[in-house]
Amino acid sequence: MEKVFEIYIKTTPERLWEAITDPEVRSKYNFGVRIKSDFTPGSRYETGHPNNPSILGEGENLEVDPPRRLVQTLRALWGEDVKADGTSRVTWEIEPVGDSCRLLVTHDQLREGANEELYGGWPMILSGLKTWLETGELLTTPGSLMYATPSSTPGKN
């Protein structure tokens, strides 16, 4: 199964790449979740949240071509139900379009009938990414409200 998400963001490819790979910036639009990696081909990454002592996700950086393309495996670890779905793949593709960028996120290699928690948050995450890059503000979404930390209250910078 494959899920494809496309969004246009008024930013540069370099700023968009940084927002995807920088742990601090990523936490602003990804429900407080931080990513930890050196982003080299074949390297490991993991994601976590300050309010959760466990790793929430992990994988391998398969392709790293800044600021154009990042391909990663993803193994969700936040619950037994998503662990059972195994490993999938996420591809981030950045294409400049004038003074903006087209971001295409493809989440594939999902098993048929995969848990919606694996891919259901992408519209909120990408909307938050767009809002952050274009305005510097945090976007309030159901996910941001669910996982908000006291220091990152939705709507505050």
Side-chain angles (χ1 to χ4, degrees), residues 8-106:
Y8 289 82
I9 304 172
K10 189 172 180 113
T11 191
T12 65
E14 293 77 15
R15 278 192 72 222
L16 182 49
W17 180 266
E18 178 189 23
I20 294 166
T21 58
D22 181 271
E24 181 64 30
V25 176
R26 187 146 172 180
S27 72
K28 293 183 182 304
Y29 64 85
N30 197 31
F31 318 134
V33 173
R34 295 174 181 273
I35 190 163
K36 182 177 163 187
S37 179
D38 67 4
F39 292 101
T40 57
S43 67
R44 183 176 187 278
Y45 77 90
E46 59 185 49
T47 60
H49 192 281
N51 293 345
N52 188 325
S54 304
I55 295 172
L56 298 176
E58 65 182 4
E60 179 184 346
N61 297 303
L62 302 174
E63 292 179 46
V64 182
D65 182 16
R68 291 182 280 285
R69 183 174 164 89
L70 177 63
V71 182
Q72 302 172 297
T73 62
L74 169 63
R75 185 167 163 252
L77 301 172
W78 61 80
E80 293 306 315
D81 47 351
V82 293
K83 283 182 191 176
D85 279 317
T87 302
S88 57
R89 180 176 63 185
V90 176
T91 302
W92 304 76
E93 294 176 283
I94 300 168
E95 177 188 338
V97 180
D99 64 353
S100 300
C101 290
R102 172 183 180 252
L103 175 62
L104 187 68
V105 175
T106 304

Side-chain angles (χ1 to χ4, degrees), residues 1 85 110-116 118-119:
M1 189 166 67
D85 279 317
L110 291 156
R111 72 167 182 79
E112 204 58 46
N115 189 316
E116 191 177 327
L118 290 172
Y119 57 84

